[in-house]
Amino acid sequence: MAIRFDGRVAIVTGAGGGLGREHALALAKRGARVVVNDLGGARDGSGGSATAAEAVVAEIEAAGGQAMANAASVTDAAAVQAMVDAVMARWGRVDILVNNAGVLRDKTFAKMELDDFRFVVDVHLMGAVNCTKAVWDVMRDANYGRIVMTTSSSGLYGNFGQSNYGAAKMALVGLMQTLSIDRTSLCHAHAGRLERRRRRAGTGGGSLRRNFGPGRRDRAGDGGRPGLHRADQGAGGAEGLTPCVDAAAGR
């Protein structure tokens, strides 16, 4: 079954190159309107320019898609909120968030400055927190949302010279899992209310509760692109609320 995102709006952070660019192009190819966010700085986070984001937007538009560029730093909560406000003003919705922005400042722990450790954690972890917080109520009010985190084996297993990066990436796993639990608990309560209303109205049907729960996970990815399936509008349970572990939105 083909995965489509027609009518959906996706924000992809760190989308000016690499994996983020691939996310943005793949979502746009499947019909999503895409916000290409990228600070445009160097690999270590220094500098900044909207050029990288604008180049990806140009690729999407040349292929017949719709996109807008944004050069906000994900570490700046006010700038992230302004980005979401601009998206809502232009397209009126945010359906998908891919938290992909990141930097590298690799050194052995003995040689690493604490500022470099903090900065990497700030971009990867707090950047994801800032973006997720900015879209959370939008998705909750729409009763629909998909949030994907880009993590790494460096977090799960460690990697030489990447104590900062590994710690940040493993923290994203904890954030992702906890958001899913928060959301699932809320969904259970929401499903319970819907069941009671339905019973009072005398309508039949199976239990809504069985559609939710941390034990339910998505199907395999689309052609080696699990991120695409995680954002698929058909991946969720009842009422458009997705129970997969890397997406969280609900009542």
Side-chain angles (χ1 to χ4, degrees):
M1 183 178 70
I3 294 177
R4 297 292 305 174
F5 301 101
D6 301 291
R8 300 295 183 186
V9 173
I11 296 174
V12 184
T13 67
L19 183 60
R21 172 179 171 274
E22 294 300 321
H23 281 312
L25 294 177
L27 286 162
K29 182 179 179 180
R30 288 159 176 80
R33 289 166 287 180
V34 180
V35 181
V36 179
N37 164 265
D38 201 289
L39 179 64
R43 197 172 183 181
D44 65 357
S46 60
S49 168
T51 303
E54 290 168 350
V56 177
V57 167
E59 285 187 75
I60 291 171
E61 292 178 339
Q66 297 183 60
M68 60 184 287
N70 180 274
S73 168
V74 295
T75 64
D76 185 339
V80 168
Q81 185 61 58
M83 172 181 68
V84 173
D85 290 345
V87 176
M88 293 297 292
R90 179 169 176 177
W91 286 326
R93 60 193 302 149
V94 178
D95 303 287
I96 300 161
L97 168 65
V98 181
N99 283 312
N100 176 76
V103 295
L104 290 173
R105 291 190 176 181
D106 295 356
K107 285 184 180 179
T108 62
F109 190 68
K111 296 180 178 178
M112 184 177 296
E113 298 292 336
L114 287 179
D115 284 346
D116 287 335
F117 199 106
R118 289 191 186 95
F119 182 71
V120 169
V121 171
D122 197 25
V123 174
H124 289 270
L125 176 59
M126 291 309 300
V129 170
N130 291 337
C131 293
T132 300
K133 189 67 173 176
V135 303
W136 191 268
D137 286 347
V138 173
M139 291 181 173
R140 185 187 63 184
D141 291 345
N143 211 25
Y144 181 94
R146 303 292 186 267
I147 299 175
V148 179
M149 308 286 188
T150 300
T151 60
S152 170
S153 59
S154 291
L156 295 172
Y157 306 112
N159 194 29
F160 181 80
Q162 291 193 324
S163 58
N164 49 6
Y165 180 80
K169 287 304 191 183
M170 195 62 190
L172 281 176
V173 175
L175 173 65
M176 173 184 73
Q177 298 285 28
T178 303
L179 289 178
S180 180
I181 292 168
D182 282 356
R183 188 212 125 271
T184 299
S185 176
L186 291 169
C187 288
H188 273 296
H190 182 51
R193 289 195 297 271
L194 290 173
E195 283 188 60
R196 289 192 292 274
R197 291 174 192 169
R198 184 173 59 188
R199 286 168 185 162
R200 286 196 296 269
T203 56
S207 171
L208 290 174
R209 289 180 184 271
R210 69 188 178 201
N211 291 303
F212 301 101
R216 174 173 169 172
R217 295 172 181 261
D218 281 344
R219 303 180 298 273
D222 172 25
R225 295 177 184 270
L228 278 180
H229 184 79
R230 297 298 186 190
D232 182 15
Q233 60 190 16
E239 300 301 304
L241 301 168
T242 183
C244 62
V245 296
D246 58 352
R251 292 190 182 279

